[in-house]
């Protein structure tokens, strides 16, 4: 087996609050378009967080909005499609608690469709000639889409993961290329009973 593929029951112990989760599309035109537009293999971004002894995925999803779900359930649904990146690979002052709290703050909010549409329009050749590069992180009042939420949360923790690029135009591929994150492994589900026992522990 590829050394970068780790079974979830072993991998979960190595994941920390604030680590980046990047998802590769399996099917569906939307996911493939997002990955292609961002010049990467990733279509969705989320953040890992521990709640007591349960490992959660904090994200904002099309059609559902901001939410927190058990990471083990997502790995079971998408085996081999979720990559884990360690946050703070550059060892800067990064407050993981504040980053996680910011992601929790989007739970229950609607998905940022308008924000995603704006990013999509910026990829059109004519629009790219007319608009200036968006570097203003202060212009962040809109409802976020997935990678925008992660970038905003990291900044709340004290680090801008993609300097010289506004959070609202940050795509999953931009996070994957950021030096703030370091790829660690791809998650694969195995030993389902052991995993359920771990995530269900009180």
């Amino acid at each position: 087996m590829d050394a970068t593929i780790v079974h979830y029951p072993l991998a979960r112990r190595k994941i920390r609050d604030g680590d980046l989760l990047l998802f590769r599309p399996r099917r569906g035109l939307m996911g493939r378009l997002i990955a292609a537009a961002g010049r990467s293999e990733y279509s969705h971004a989320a953040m890992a967080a521990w709640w007591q002894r349960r490992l959660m995925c904090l994200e904002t999803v099309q059609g559902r909005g901001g939410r927190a779900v058990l990471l083990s359930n997502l790995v079971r649904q998408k085996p081999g499609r979720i990559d884990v990146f360690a946050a703070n690979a550059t060892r800067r002052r990064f407050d993981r608690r504040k980053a996680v709290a910011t992601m929790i703050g989007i739970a229950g909010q609607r998905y940022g469709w308008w924000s995603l549409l704006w990013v999509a329009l910026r990829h059109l050749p004519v629009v790219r000639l007319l608009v200036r590069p968006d570097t203003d992180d202060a212009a962040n009042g809109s409802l976020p889409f997935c990678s925008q939420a992660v970038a905003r949360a990291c900044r709340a923790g004290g680090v801008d993961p993609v300097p010289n690029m506004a959070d609202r135009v940050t795509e999953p591929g931009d996070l994957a290329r950021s030096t703030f994150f370091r790829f660690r492994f791809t998650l694969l589900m195995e030993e389902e009973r052991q995993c359920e026992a771990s995530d269900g522990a009180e």
Side-chain angles (χ1 to χ4, degrees):
M1 179 179 290
D2 191 326
T4 63
I5 296 177
V6 181
H7 293 135
Y8 180 75
L10 298 176
R12 69 190 300 274
R13 306 169 192 165
K14 304 176 183 180
I15 300 174
R16 299 181 62 189
D17 281 336
D19 281 354
L20 173 67
L21 306 172
L22 288 178
F23 294 66
R24 285 177 277 129
R26 175 178 294 172
R27 307 183 189 88
L29 180 61
M30 178 65 77
R32 293 181 182 277
L33 287 175
I34 292 173
R39 306 179 311 283
S40 78
E41 57 183 337
Y42 300 111
S43 61
H44 180 60
M47 182 175 284
W50 286 92
W51 181 66
Q52 295 182 4
R53 295 176 63 185
R54 294 176 171 86
L55 183 55
M56 310 298 293
C57 171
L58 308 178
E59 60 181 353
T60 182
V61 183
Q62 298 167 11
R64 295 188 178 95
R67 66 176 189 171
V69 294
L70 279 173
L71 181 56
S72 59
N73 287 340
L74 294 181
V75 178
R76 192 173 290 114
Q77 296 166 14
K78 307 173 188 293
R81 296 285 165 174
I82 305 174
D83 289 346
V84 178
F85 287 69
N88 205 13
T90 49
R91 298 188 179 181
R92 299 171 64 182
R93 288 190 175 182
F94 179 55
D95 192 325
R96 293 174 182 268
R97 284 188 175 184
K98 287 185 178 179
V100 167
T102 300
M103 285 297 292
I104 291 174
I106 71 168
Q109 290 187 12
R110 299 189 306 277
Y111 184 80
W113 283 107
W114 288 112
S115 300
L116 183 63
L117 177 60
W118 171 238
V119 172
L121 289 174
R122 290 176 64 88
H123 285 289
L124 297 177
V126 175
V127 177
R128 292 179 68 177
L129 290 173
L130 298 176
V131 299
R132 295 180 178 180
D134 195 343
T135 61
D136 186 8
D137 283 321
N140 250 340
S142 58
L143 290 169
F145 57 90
C146 63
S147 47
Q148 177 184 357
V150 172
R152 185 184 297 181
C154 288
R155 274 202 316 108
V159 177
D160 186 346
V162 189
N164 301 317
M165 178 177 288
D167 298 343
R168 65 179 179 176
V169 294
T170 299
E171 301 177 47
D174 297 318
L175 296 175
R177 290 184 288 270
S178 169
T179 58
F180 180 67
F181 298 108
R182 175 176 58 86
F183 172 75
R184 297 202 65 195
F185 43 72
T186 300
L187 295 174
L188 186 68
M189 182 55 72
E190 190 187 67
E191 304 173 16
E192 188 167 316
R193 291 183 181 178
Q194 178 182 341
C195 176
E196 288 177 347
S198 299
D199 269 350
E202 295 297 334

